[in-house]
Amino acid sequence: MGHDHSLSVEKSIAEATTLCESRGKRLTPIRAQVLELMLSNRRSLKAYELLEQMQAIHPSSKPATVYRALEFLEEEGFIHRLDAINGWTACQHIQCDHSHHDLLAVCTVCGAVQEISAPHINKELHTLLAQVGFSQNSPQTEIRATCANCQKK
């Protein structure tokens, strides 16, 4: 039997709503719609792609609407900003505490993203940066890569 992705999207939206409420925040319908689109696409998206998808649902959607929703979702830890491809991706573990630093493998061909939990690598990276007088600006480290599907093409 196949995996019903729509159930996991619904579950993630419900988890995000509960987390927002527990933090005294609100997952507005627009924020929830942007998160749902990101979860449903199952890959990274650029802002204009999200805007096009939002306009198909809400024709009056403007770029500022999408950017405000992305900013909120990123602040709450529901999505990750991907500098490597100038896009965003839904967090694969909305319920996690995000206190660890994720490694994000980002396919620069198709935009697929895979979160990798590697605390030992992140600790070593933090140490190496400190040794040369640097500190990490982002809680995650992006690794530009090519996914298995794109390697086959």
Side-chain angles (χ1 to χ4, degrees):
M1 181 176 257
H3 175 69
D4 186 350
H5 186 67
S6 64
L7 288 178
S8 61
V9 170
E10 287 177 20
K11 182 176 183 238
S12 293
I13 297 291
E15 289 172 352
T17 301
T18 301
L19 283 169
C20 283
E21 289 170 358
S22 73
R23 298 169 182 166
K25 306 273 177 86
R26 188 164 170 260
L27 189 66
T28 64
I30 294 293
R31 293 168 178 170
Q33 186 68 62
V34 169
L35 181 57
E36 183 179 334
L37 288 171
M38 296 194 73
L39 290 162
S40 297
N41 276 279
R42 301 176 65 179
R43 65 174 182 86
S44 62
L45 294 170
K46 296 181 184 296
Y48 70 86
E49 291 176 294
L50 277 167
L51 178 60
E52 287 175 6
Q53 290 181 26
M54 282 295 290
Q55 286 174 334
I57 301 163
H58 304 285
S60 63
S61 295
K62 303 284 185 238
T65 307
V66 171
Y67 279 108
R68 280 193 300 269
L70 289 169
E71 183 178 319
F72 174 86
L73 296 169
E74 183 180 8
E75 285 173 3
E76 294 305 310
F78 303 148
I79 65 173
H80 300 291
R81 171 85 171 95
L82 301 169
D83 292 327
I85 58 171
N86 193 27
W88 289 265
T89 189
C91 180
Q92 296 168 4
H93 311 282
I94 283 180
Q95 280 284 35
C96 74
D97 71 4
H98 296 284
S99 62
H100 62 284
H101 296 282
D102 289 327
L103 295 177
L104 300 174
V106 181
C107 180
T108 55
V109 179
C110 72
V113 179
Q114 182 63 50
E115 292 181 20
I116 305 166
S117 180
H120 59 288
I121 292 174
N122 284 310
K123 184 177 179 183
E124 182 67 20
L125 182 58
H126 180 76
T127 300
L128 289 169
L129 286 169
Q131 287 173 359
V132 295
F134 281 75
S135 63
Q136 196 165 355
N137 294 338
S138 173
Q140 70 258 347
T141 301
E142 297 175 39
I143 302 169
R144 295 174 187 204
T146 305
C147 72
N149 287 336
C150 290
Q151 289 176 43
K152 292 176 189 173
K153 294 178 184 174

